[in-house]
Amino acid sequence: MTATDIGSTAAGRLFSRPAAVASCVGFVLIGMVQALYGPAVPGLRAEFGLSPAGAGLGLSLHFTGGVLGVLACNAVQHRVGNRALLAASYALLAVGGAGVALAPNWPLALVAAFLGGLGFGGIDYGLNLLFAVGFGDRSTAMLNVLNAHFGIGAVLGPALIAWLGPDRYGYAFGACALLAALLVPCTAGVRTREEPPGSTPGASAPLLSRVLVGFLALYVLNVAVEAGVGGWEPTHLETVGHTATVAASATSVYWLMLTAGRFLVVPLALRHSPERILTICAAGMTGCLLLTLVTPLAPVAYAGVGLFIAPVFPTGLPWLNRALPGARRAGAWVIAASMVGGVAAPPLLGLGIEGWGIHAVPWLLTALSGASLLATLWLIRLTRRPVK
């Protein structure tokens, strides 16, 4: 789907053509920012004299700000409107990026990372929510296009650090801050207010709805698998006998497949329901994870996991919106929970690996993936009948 398709799809709805294209650029931006922290660790340690754990606080504060940004934006959006919310989020990301680039000491850099995280969360929540309701029957396809651009940014961020060198990380964060500032005027093409079909002003999903609990479980489990593979794939591949080069290359391919899968699913999303797509994805990634137990096939199998898991996050949101009309609050909790899952999964998997060894990685990830398949089937059953 091209930028022209995006613009024509958006016409007359929530986005002007420039605003729709700028939204995809915004997702490239937040993908870059999130991916900068890891490659920048050597430069941050040298600049501020940090331990590895101390340097890792930057990403932790970024994600903490992201979760709070999602919840805060959910609380105020009905009062301030979509346009102001997105403009403020881009401005916060610009301030945060500039702060990390220019901070004279580590505490100020951490404050900047937190502020940038608030903006990150607002952009992530705001655009995912608007794309979920703003393109009619094409919303599932458009959400996959939007989130695929996040993956492009996640590839470009480390590449930018590799080109500049870790000691010049400030230029990378500064470039992201400049891009965020340039995107603020583009929010003029976003409609200030919208109501999802079938909703009433101020309506929200019941906090303890079984459907909401099912979606929370689905998103936490899938993001746990996504982050778990990204974090532990190279270690597992090296342990079972693959070279460090093969392990690193296979991990890069995994992330590239996760990005490509979101573009590849677009034509399928125009013809098939989110329920069918997510069921196939859950079954496919579970099967691929079982194949990682076969040492010669493991690198290819991990790439398959990336392909199958790619559509889950963006495809589930239109289903949530349809299952719980007026589900603005539900969407906020689901997106926030996915961020928490991404932060918590690698260390929790690490505890399991300490107990059972690195060879347990495929089994642990398969268990999480199998649970996500059960959650998907449970949600299909729940959403086929009225929920009380």
Side-chain angles (χ1 to χ4, degrees), residues 87-328:
S89 298
Y90 282 125
L92 278 170
L93 191 59
V95 171
V100 174
L102 301 173
N105 55 60
W106 187 230
L108 286 177
L110 290 177
V111 171
F114 176 77
L115 291 175
L118 287 174
F120 172 97
I123 296 164
D124 190 21
Y125 166 71
L127 290 179
N128 270 308
L129 174 71
L130 295 179
F131 269 59
V133 300
F135 293 92
D137 293 339
R138 293 176 174 264
S139 287
T140 301
M142 294 303 298
L143 271 168
N144 276 282
V145 171
L146 178 72
N147 281 271
H149 284 82
F150 183 96
I152 293 173
V155 173
L156 290 177
L160 182 58
I161 290 287
W163 179 59
L164 293 170
D167 57 323
R168 305 183 76 185
Y169 69 86
Y171 290 98
F173 280 99
C176 289
L178 178 60
L179 178 56
L182 292 174
L183 286 171
V184 172
C186 297
T187 60
V190 179
R191 187 183 299 170
T192 299
R193 305 282 177 187
E194 109 290 336
E195 289 297 335
S199 69
T200 56
S204 61
L207 186 59
L208 297 180
S209 162
R210 287 177 297 159
V211 172
L212 177 55
V213 171
F215 275 101
L216 289 171
L218 177 64
Y219 272 73
V220 168
L221 289 166
N222 275 277
V223 175
V225 173
E226 178 184 317
V229 172
W232 290 104
E233 176 187 356
T235 304
H236 172 246
L237 289 177
E238 287 190 57
T239 301
V240 298
H242 292 281
T243 66
T245 300
V246 168
S249 299
T251 304
S252 297
V253 171
Y254 164 74
W255 289 114
L256 287 171
M257 292 297 284
L258 195 144
T259 300
R262 288 173 175 165
F263 283 116
L264 292 173
V265 81
V266 168
L268 298 176
L270 296 174
R271 295 194 298 270
H272 300 286
S273 68
E275 296 94 318
R276 176 175 295 182
I277 293 172
L278 292 187
T279 301
I280 293 172
C281 287
M285 68 183 187
T286 302
C288 287
L289 284 167
L290 284 172
L291 285 176
T292 63
L293 291 164
V294 183
T295 298
L297 297 178
V300 177
Y302 277 123
V305 176
L307 183 66
F308 280 110
I309 204 171
V312 174
F313 186 100
T315 302
L317 291 176
W319 183 15
L320 171 64
N321 185 66
R322 191 182 72 237
L324 294 173
R328 184 187 301 279

Side-chain angles (χ1 to χ4, degrees), residues 55-123:
L57 284 175
L59 185 57
S60 296
L61 265 292
H62 170 81
F63 271 114
T64 301
V67 173
L68 294 178
V70 169
L71 298 178
C73 288
N74 173 65
V76 304
Q77 185 174 18
H78 68 284
R79 292 195 295 269
V80 303
N82 303 320
R83 188 180 303 159
L85 178 91
L86 290 173
S89 298
Y90 282 125
L92 278 170
L93 191 59
V95 171
V100 174
L102 301 173
N105 55 60
W106 187 230
L108 286 177
L110 290 177
V111 171
F114 176 77
L115 291 175
L118 287 174
F120 172 97
I123 296 164

Side-chain angles (χ1 to χ4, degrees), residues 4 33 65 82 119:
T4 301
V33 170
N82 303 320

